[in-house]
Amino acid sequence: MRSICFYFQVHQPFRLKTYRFFDMGVDHHYYDEYQNRTIMQRIAKKCYLPANALMLDLIKEHGKDFNVAFSISGLAIEQFERYAPEVLESFKTLAATGNVEFLAETYAHSLASMKSRDEFERQVNLHSKRIQELFGQEPVTFRNTELIYSDDIGEAVADMGYKTILTEGAKHVLGWKSPNFVYRHPVRNDVKLLLKNFRLSDDIAFRFSDQGWGEWPLTADKYTAWLKDIDKEQHVVNLFMDYETFGEHQWADSGIFDFMKAMPGQVLKETGFKFSKPKDIAREIDAVDEIHVPNAISWADEERDLTAWLGNELQDEAFGKLYSIEENVKSCNDDEIMRDWNYLQASDHFYYMCTKWFSDGDVHRYFNPYPSPYEAFINYMNVLSDFMIRVEEKCNPDILDKINKATDEMAETARKKVEGFSEKVKEEASNAKEKAANKARETWDDVKDYSLEDIAKMSNEGVKKLLKKIDTDELAHVMKNAGDEVRNKIIPNLTKTAKTNFEKLEKEIKSVKKSDIKKYTDKIEDELKRFWKKK
Amino acid sequence: MKVLMFGWEFPPHITGGLGTASYGMTKGLLKRGAEILFVVPKAYGDEDQRAVRLINASDIEINVEDTEFLELTKNLTYMEVGSNLIPYLDPEEFRKFSHETKLEKELRKKSVFSRKYKFSGKYGKDLMEEVARYALVGAAIGANNDFDVIHAHDWLAYFAGVAAKKVSGKPLVVHMHATEFDRTGDNVNTIVYDIEKRGMMAADRVMAVSNLTRKIVIDKYGIPPEKVVTVHNAIDPMDKPEVLNVKKVVKEKVVTFLGRITFQKGPEYFVETAHKVLQKDRNVRFVMAGSGDMMNKMILRAAKLKIADRFHFTGFLKGEAVDRMFALSDVFVMPSVSEPFGLVPLEAMRTNVPVIVSKQSGVAEILKHAIKVDFWDVDGTADAIYGLLHYKALSETFKKYGKKEVDDLKWENAAVKIMDVYKDVVGNKENQ
C-alpha cells in the first residue's frame, strides 16, 4: 500500500491583553477577550467551517480511501467552546465518519517537552482525555508542539504508550535519506516515525498563492504529476501543515479550496496512493531504518530548530521563570491557577519574543500581535509576575498555615514549660536557701562553746564584722596566746588603723596576766557567739 | 567633489544637534572623497579642521558701495524679529531687545551692514540681521571660491546658500534638520517659514533628516516630493571608552531625560511617567537634564506630585557631562512631541543605555533595538521603564543589540547617500 498522510494542525493561543506593571496585584485577568474572540470567529468563518465541510464532502465522495488526521490543541478546543461552538460540532461530525484520526499533543501547545517531563506528561494525558471526551477515540499517535522532536522526547513519548510519532523530515537529520519511508526510534525500536515531506507540504502551505513562485499556479494536475514521479519504492508521503492554510494563510480566492477539492480524486484515480491515517500507516508499513535526532528539531524556519521559541535572552528568561514555579503550581489544586498555567505555557508567547525577524524576513512578523519582541517580553513578564505572586500567595497557604499553627503551638508549649519550670526553680531555690540557713544555724548551735579557734574557719567577711565589735587592746592581749591559724585569719582582716594600733599595742604588752587573757578570750568568744546567734 | 557648506555652528561651539550633525556629516563625506569648505558666522579658532576648511564669515569683507549689495540688502532688511520669535531668544535677552530705543536699533542695523562685521553666531536679537548679512557673505564667498555644489544647513544658512548659488550658478542642496513646525508647534513664525520655503524652492534638492520631516516639507511647505530625499542622521562610535567605566554613585536605578525642557521635547510626559513608576517602585531616580522655558513648570509639577525626592534637575549639560550622565543611567527616555530626528538616543545607546523613544521622532524610523511609544502614552512608557528596570534579560538584550546597531549607523554610510545626491544635482546641472 502506498499512502499519503494528511495531518492538519489546529491551534489558537489565548493572546494576552496589554497588561501594565501597575496592573500587577490588582488585575488577574490576562487575556484579550475581544481579540481572541474576533480572531477565532474570523478564522472559523474563513477556514475551520468551510474546510471541515470540504473534508466531509471528500470523505463522502471517496469513502475509505480518504482519511485525514487532526491535532487540535486544548487551548483551541477551549476557544471553540467559548467563541465558536459550531466548529467543535463540525469536528465531531468528521469524527463520526471514522475517517479521521485525532492525534495526541500537549494540551497547552507548550514547549514542556523541553523542560519538564512531569508537565509534559500531565499535558499529554490531559489532552488525550479531552479528545476522548469530545470525539470518542483515544489518541494513539503523537505529535509534539511545532513537530518538536528528539531521541529523548521520543523515549518520553514511548513511555507514555504511544507507538507512532510525527515530526519534521529535516534535511540535517535525514541526510541523503528520503522522508517518504517509515522510520523508527534508535532505542525504542517499536516506535515508528512519520517524517514530513516539507517540499510537497510547503508547496501547498506556503507557496500556493505566491505568484513569484516558478510553479505558480499550483493545480491538482501538476501536484498529481509530482506525486506520480515519486519512486515506487517510497511508500508514504507525509503532508503536514497548519489547518489555517485553507482560507487563512492562503485565502479562498487563491483557489486553495478548489485545489483541495479536486486533488484527492485525481490522485486516487491516477496514482497508487490512498489517503491514510497515521495509525494505519504505522500498522501496515514497516520501518526501513532508524533515525537519530540528538538535538531537538522542529518544523519551523530554514533551520528546522527551536530558535523561533527558545534561545535568545528574552525567551530563556521568560521560559525559565515560568517553569521555576511548576512545583508550587501543582501543589496548588486551584482551577484558575491551573487554567492560567496552561494558557501561559503556549509556545506562541515565546515566538512573539523571537529576535530573528530583525534579520530574516517577516514570516514571524505576520503572526505577531506585538510591534517588537521587546514589547512582547515586557507584557508577558508583567503577566507572569502577577501570576507568580498569585501562585505564591494561593499555592502555599496550606503549608504556611500549618507552619504558622505549628510554630504557635510550639511557642505556647515552650512558654508553659518555661513558666512551670521557673516557678519550680524559684520555689526550690527559696527552700534550699532556708534549709541552708537553718542547717548553718544548727551546725553552729551545736558547738556548745565558741572558741577562738573557730575564727579560723570563718569567712573574711564574717571576721571583719566580728572584729568591729572587739576592742583592739583586748585583742592584742588575747593574741599573745592564740595559734597561728587564728592570727593569720584575724590580722589581715583588721582595718588599717586597727592594724597599726594592734601592732603598737602588741609590742607594748610585755607580760600579761593569764587571768586577763582568759577574761578577754571569754569576752571575744561571747561576742563570737552573739555574732552567730544573730544570723 | 568640492562642497561649499553653510552652517550656523560648529563643534565645540554648539547649542544643539545641528552643529553635531554637520560636523559628523563632514567627517563622513571626507571619507567618501568630498572636499569641504565649511562656512560659519563666527569661528573661534579651536574647531577641529581635519575634515573641513573652515571659513569664518566674520573675516569676509563686503563692498558696501556695490550696487548688487545694495539690491540684496533692500531685499533682506524687511526681516524683523517679532515677538513671536521668542524661541530663539532667552527671556532676559528678549526683554533687553524689546526695550531698545529707535536710535539703538538704527545703530545696530547699520553695524550689521557695514563693510566688515563680527557675527555673534548666536540666536540673539540680531538674528535676522545676521541671517541677512550671512547671505551677503555667502554671495562674496560664492564668487571667490571654487566648488561643485552648495549645501546649506537649516534656514539660518539658506539665504547664504541661495546667494552663493545666484553668483556661482552651482547647484544648491538645502538640509532640513528641523522645520519651524517642529520648533514652535503651531505658533509658526511666518518670516522663518518663508525663509525655509524660499530656500527649499530655490534649491535643487532638499535633504530631510527623516521621513517624518520629509512629509512635513512636502505637506506643509508644498515642496515637490521628487525634490525631497530622506537622509537619516548618523552618529560616530564612542571615542571616549573611559566614560563607560564611570561608577554609579546612587544605589537606585536612574532614568534619564536629556534635552531642552521645551514643549517640543515633551518633558511633562516624562514627569507624569515618573509619577506612575514611583507609585509602584520607589527605588528609582528620575533625572531631567537640560534647561528651557518649561523647567520651572516641571519643578512645580514634580513637587505637586510629591516625587521631588526622586526627581532631579541637572540644568544644561554638554560635552563629557552628557556622556557621564548616560554612564550613570539605566534607561534613557525621549518623549518628544515632535522630533525631526533626535540624536540623543543614539548617544545613549552608544554608552550602553537602553532607550525608549517616541514614535513621533525621526530616529524611531531607523532604530530596531529601542522601545517605541507614542509621546502621550504615559502608561506605555512607564511600563517600558518598569520592564527595563526589572527584567534583566531585557536590558541585557538591549545593550547587546543596541550598541551594535548604533555602531553601524556611521556617518560614512549616510555620506554615501549624500554623495549620490551631489552627483545627481551636479550631473543635472551639467546636462542643462
Side-chain angles (χ1 to χ4, degrees):
Chain A
M1 185 190 86
R2 299 183 80 200
S3 290
I4 289 170
C5 177
F6 258 126
Y7 136 66
F8 304 116
Q9 179 61 35
V10 180
H11 167 63
Q12 290 299 326
F14 281 90
R15 294 160 198 86
L16 302 174
K17 68 180 180 188
T18 301
Y19 188 91
R20 304 295 192 199
F21 70 98
F22 41 78
D23 295 327
M24 285 178 205
V26 185
D27 180 2
H28 305 313
H29 187 268
Y30 309 139
Y31 313 101
D32 190 334
E33 291 282 349
Y34 174 78
Q35 202 192 160
N36 290 326
R37 180 177 2 102
T38 318
I39 292 177
M40 176 48 86
Q41 290 174 350
R42 186 191 73 216
I43 301 179
K45 208 168 133 194
K46 283 173 68 180
C47 163
Y48 301 137
L49 291 171
N52 278 359
L54 173 60
M55 294 301 154
L56 192 62
D57 286 347
L58 288 168
I59 290 168
K60 281 180 183 160
E61 192 182 338
H62 305 296
K64 62 176 177 30
D65 290 341
F66 187 80
N67 298 275
V68 295
F70 288 102
S71 193
I72 311 178
S73 75
L75 303 193
I77 291 171
E78 284 192 41
Q79 291 204 42
F80 288 141
E81 287 172 328
R82 219 175 286 180
Y83 307 127
E86 66 279 16
V87 175
L88 215 47
E89 289 311 309
S90 69
F91 274 117
K92 284 179 187 169
T93 310
L94 281 175
T97 62
N99 293 34
V100 176
E101 178 180 357
F102 289 91
L103 312 184
E105 69 165 298
T106 54
Y107 186 87
H109 197 268
S110 72
L111 305 169
S113 59
M114 299 307 295
K115 191 78 179 183
S116 160
R117 176 91 179 242
D118 271 3
E119 177 59 15
F120 183 44
E121 286 185 16
R122 184 191 74 85
Q123 284 192 33
V124 174
N125 293 335
L126 182 65
H127 182 256
S128 168
K129 211 176 118 207
R130 196 79 191 90
I131 294 296
Q132 280 183 69
E133 284 167 7
L134 285 169
F135 306 119
Q137 56 169 274
E138 185 185 352
V140 295
T141 303
F142 181 82
R143 80 106 227 178
N144 198 12
T145 306
E146 310 289 349
L147 293 191
I148 290 169
Y149 177 81
S150 68
D151 291 343
D152 290 344
I153 293 172
E155 230 174 315
V157 174
D159 285 344
M160 286 186 261
Y162 295 93
K163 297 277 184 268
T164 314
I165 303 173
L166 273 50
T167 185
E168 172 69 28
K171 258 188 208 154
H172 67 274
V173 165
L174 277 171
W176 52 269
K177 293 172 187 163
S178 159
N180 303 337
F181 290 103
V182 175
Y183 291 90
R184 63 174 174 269
H185 189 278
V187 180
R188 307 295 286 262
N189 285 329
D190 55 340
V191 172
K192 287 181 175 169
L193 303 174
L194 300 185
L195 308 181
K196 177 181 147 190
N197 181 318
F198 65 79
R199 195 182 67 80
L200 286 171
S201 299
D202 296 349
D203 284 341
I204 301 173
F206 296 151
R207 290 182 280 271
F208 187 81
S209 60
D210 179 4
Q211 303 198 13
W213 180 36
E215 302 293 347
W216 186 87
L218 181 60
T219 59
D221 276 344
K222 195 182 282 179
Y223 202 78
T224 308
W226 289 344
L227 287 169
K228 255 194 245 173
D229 283 347
I230 292 173
D231 192 302
K232 293 285 180 292
E233 295 304 305
Q234 303 185 0
H235 290 299
V236 56
V237 176
N238 296 309
L239 302 177
F240 301 165
M241 61 196 73
D242 282 336
Y243 202 31
E244 293 82 15
T245 297
F246 302 97
E248 172 71 10
H249 301 168
Q250 311 294 340
W251 290 1
D253 59 14
S254 70
I256 188 80
F257 286 105
D258 302 325
F259 169 81
M260 194 59 201
K261 192 175 161 65
M263 188 264 281
Q266 201 159 341
V267 168
L268 288 171
K269 203 164 73 190
E270 296 177 22
T271 74
F273 283 109
K274 284 180 184 174
F275 295 85
S276 311
K277 292 172 213 157
K279 61 178 174 189
D280 295 334
I281 294 172
R283 196 176 54 235
E284 288 167 28
I285 302 179
D286 289 333
V288 293
D289 198 359
E290 56 194 34
I291 288 285
H292 273 281
V293 188
N295 301 312
I297 55 169
S298 82
W299 70 358
D301 306 326
E302 271 304 302
E303 303 90 330
R304 301 294 200 271
D305 61 9
L306 269 74
T307 51
W309 302 277
L310 294 175
N312 78 26
E313 293 85 343
L314 306 179
Q315 294 165 327
D316 290 350
E317 164 83 355
F319 194 64
K321 279 269 153 63
L322 175 67
Y323 284 95
S324 72
I325 53 168
E326 183 188 339
E327 270 183 44
N328 274 358
V329 168
K330 288 185 176 160
S331 71
C332 200
N333 214 2
D334 178 293
D335 285 349
E336 278 181 25
I337 294 278
M338 267 335 254
R339 187 199 62 185
D340 291 336
W341 170 244
N342 282 338
Y343 292 2
L344 291 179
Q345 284 186 73
S347 64
D348 308 73
H349 301 304
F350 304 97
Y351 185 82
Y352 303 148
M353 298 173 201
C354 178
T355 42
K356 280 206 297 182
W357 62 260
F358 277 134
S359 49
D360 71 41
D362 26 21
V363 186
H364 291 256
R365 212 161 191 179
Y366 177 77
F367 302 107
N368 194 337
Y370 297 97
S372 87
Y374 298 122
E375 276 92 347
F377 175 78
I378 292 176
N379 207 47
Y380 185 81
M381 289 306 286
N382 287 347
V383 167
L384 183 58
S385 301
D386 181 74
F387 182 63
M388 288 171 80
I389 295 167
R390 278 168 61 211
V391 168
E392 194 148 300
E393 282 173 357
K394 267 200 183 167
C395 303
N396 277 327
D398 289 355
I399 297 168
L400 276 180
D401 278 357
K402 272 181 201 156
I403 291 173
N404 283 342
K405 225 174 164 184
T407 317
D408 286 351
E409 274 169 14
M410 274 164 69
E412 183 63 16
T413 324
R415 199 170 53 79
K416 276 181 187 159
K417 266 191 185 164
V418 168
E419 268 175 10
F421 184 69
S422 69
E423 284 297 316
K424 220 172 172 181
V425 166
K426 262 189 214 160
E427 214 180 293
E428 272 174 11
S430 120
N431 286 346
K433 204 172 158 191
E434 213 167 302
K435 251 187 212 163
N438 287 339
K439 196 172 180 193
R441 218 169 285 140
E442 278 161 25
T443 315
W444 282 102
D445 278 346
D446 283 346
V447 184
K448 297 251 159 125
D449 287 309
Y450 289 93
S451 78
L452 266 181
E453 263 64 49
D454 291 322
I455 292 175
K457 292 177 215 159
M458 284 168 67
S459 69
N460 292 333
E461 210 65 32
V463 175
K464 270 179 191 151
K465 273 184 188 165
L466 180 71
L467 288 173
K468 276 182 195 162
K469 307 263 160 92
I470 294 166
D471 183 76
T472 316
D473 187 34
E474 291 173 1
L475 186 70
H477 279 84
V478 172
M479 281 302 114
K480 277 282 173 194
N481 224 9
D484 280 343
E485 254 186 64
V486 177
R487 278 184 70 93
N488 289 344
K489 191 78 188 177
I490 287 176
I491 293 167
N493 282 315
L494 285 166
T495 62
K496 228 176 176 179
T497 8
K499 205 170 173 183
T500 329
N501 210 8
F502 174 81
E503 273 159 14
K504 205 176 117 201
L505 284 167
E506 202 169 34
K507 276 177 201 161
E508 281 171 13
I509 302 164
K510 301 280 179 217
S511 61
V512 273
K513 289 179 197 164
K514 257 201 173 152
S515 60
D516 276 350
I517 294 176
K518 174 83 174 91
K519 195 172 91 190
Y520 294 141
T521 305
D522 285 348
K523 214 172 163 190
I524 289 172
E525 283 175 346
D526 272 346
E527 198 58 55
L528 199 57
K529 199 163 195 169
R530 248 197 311 276
F531 180 77
W532 280 111
K533 280 293 175 195
K534 222 165 45 188
K535 269 211 153 178
Chain B
M1 184 73 64
K2 285 184 184 166
V3 188
L4 174 62
M5 229 178 233
F6 290 97
W8 196 258
E9 44 179 51
F10 202 80
H13 307 283
I14 57 168
T15 56
L18 174 61
T20 314
S22 315
Y23 176 60
M25 194 184 302
T26 57
K27 285 203 290 185
L29 284 167
L30 179 76
K31 285 196 179 136
R32 296 295 168 195
E35 201 179 304
I36 298 161
L37 289 171
F38 198 101
V39 188
V40 279
K42 179 176 179 170
Y44 293 79
D46 55 349
E47 291 87 354
D48 174 11
Q49 297 204 28
R50 278 173 295 180
V52 300
R53 189 158 75 77
L54 214 58
I55 297 179
N56 186 356
S58 300
D59 293 342
I60 305 293
E61 291 190 7
I62 286 164
N63 182 358
V64 288
E65 309 302 322
D66 193 301
T67 47
E68 209 176 322
F69 164 79
L70 289 173
E71 191 61 29
L72 263 170
T73 316
K74 225 165 66 192
N75 281 337
L76 291 171
T77 45
Y78 77 92
M79 297 186 297
E80 291 277 349
V81 182
S83 58
N84 51 353
L85 204 66
I86 289 173
Y88 304 104
L89 299 178
D90 65 47
E92 181 75 359
E93 203 163 352
F94 182 72
R95 198 178 46 76
K96 264 194 291 185
F97 173 59
S98 49
H99 287 85
E100 192 176 44
T101 64
K102 207 170 174 190
L103 178 65
E104 279 170 337
K105 197 170 173 177
E106 280 306 312
L107 285 171
R108 188 162 54 76
K109 279 196 172 172
K110 215 165 177 179
S111 140
V112 173
F113 295 104
S114 58
R115 200 171 61 88
K116 198 165 169 185
Y117 170 72
K118 286 258 174 264
F119 284 88
S120 74
K122 298 254 168 61
Y123 299 89
K125 57 182 177 175
D126 294 333
L127 189 61
M128 287 302 177
E129 286 82 357
E130 293 207 350
V131 165
R133 165 80 192 189
Y134 198 36
L136 303 177
V137 171
I141 293 169
N144 299 319
N145 287 276
D146 174 33
F147 51 88
D148 302 307
V149 60
I150 308 157
H151 190 157
H153 295 289
D154 265 5
W155 70 275
L156 296 154
Y158 281 6
F159 275 178
V162 174
K165 176 179 173 167
K166 227 173 227 171
V167 299
S168 68
K170 294 287 161 59
L172 168 68
V173 175
V174 298
H175 213 113
M176 262 295 185
H177 294 268
T179 69
E180 183 62 8
F181 295 95
D182 300 309
R183 286 184 292 259
T184 59
D186 285 332
N187 303 319
V188 168
N189 179 303
T190 53
I191 299 169
V192 175
Y193 173 85
D194 203 41
I195 296 174
E196 287 178 327
K197 185 165 177 167
R198 291 212 285 171
M200 289 191 282
M201 292 304 266
D204 298 90
R205 204 59 57 90
V206 178
M207 286 187 199
V209 291
S210 62
N211 296 330
L212 204 72
T213 303
R214 181 173 183 271
K215 193 169 166 358
I216 295 174
V217 163
I218 294 165
D219 293 351
K220 301 209 170 171
Y221 292 83
I223 308 300
E226 63 275 12
K227 232 173 93 168
V228 193
V229 291
T230 299
V231 178
H232 286 110
N233 277 344
I235 189 168
D236 287 317
M238 187 76 168
D239 49 1
K240 288 163 286 187
E242 68 276 7
V243 245
L244 295 176
N245 299 324
V246 173
K247 282 252 157 28
K248 284 193 67 171
V249 281
V250 289
K251 62 180 194 301
E252 291 87 1
K253 300 278 186 177
V254 176
V255 180
T256 304
F257 168 105
L258 193 146
R260 281 179 294 116
I261 306 178
T262 58
F263 162 80
Q264 180 205 357
K265 303 287 182 183
E268 67 267 49
Y269 301 102
F270 186 69
V271 180
E272 300 304 324
T273 301
H275 182 228
K276 201 112 203 173
V277 174
L278 287 167
Q279 282 172 332
K280 191 95 182 176
D281 181 0
R282 292 293 290 179
N283 289 322
V284 189
R285 288 182 189 275
F286 290 82
V287 177
M288 186 167 268
S291 58
D293 57 8
M294 280 175 75
M295 182 154 157
N296 291 343
K297 205 176 151 195
M298 293 304 107
I299 295 171
L300 285 174
R301 183 67 186 149
K304 199 172 174 206
L305 291 170
K306 297 192 170 33
I307 55 170
D309 61 322
R310 287 283 184 277
F311 199 102
H312 313 282
F313 294 85
T314 67
F316 180 71
L317 301 180
K318 71 177 204 179
E320 203 179 321
V322 172
D323 289 324
R324 291 179 67 85
M325 187 64 238
F326 287 139
L328 298 176
S329 303
D330 296 282
V331 178
F332 172 76
V333 185
M334 185 179 77
S336 295
V337 172
S338 166
E339 188 76 64
F341 186 76
L343 204 62
V344 194
L346 301 184
E347 293 176 336
M349 287 166 78
R350 200 172 59 167
T351 324
N352 279 331
V353 182
V355 303
I356 301 168
V357 299
S358 77
K359 289 179 186 167
Q360 289 70 28
S361 68
V363 73
E365 293 167 13
I366 54 163
L367 281 183
K368 284 176 185 165
H369 300 284
I371 296 182
K372 298 164 199 172
V373 292
D374 285 306
F375 69 85
W376 41 259
D377 187 4
V378 170
D379 285 359
T381 311
D383 201 41
I385 292 172
Y386 185 90
L388 282 167
L389 297 182
H390 286 80
Y391 310 135
K392 201 158 169 275
L394 189 65
S395 48
E396 292 299 316
T397 307
F398 264 117
K399 282 178 197 164
K400 186 173 146 193
Y401 293 108
K403 178 95 165 74
K404 192 185 173 315
E405 178 173 32
V406 79
D407 283 349
D408 288 342
L409 290 175
K410 292 193 183 85
W411 267 114
E412 53 184 289
N413 298 335
V416 173
K417 215 168 171 184
I418 299 174
M419 287 299 278
D420 285 345
V421 173
Y422 289 165
K423 283 174 199 153
D424 202 24
V425 293
V426 170
N428 282 345
K429 263 276 173 327
E430 280 163 1
N431 293 338
Q432 275 166 15

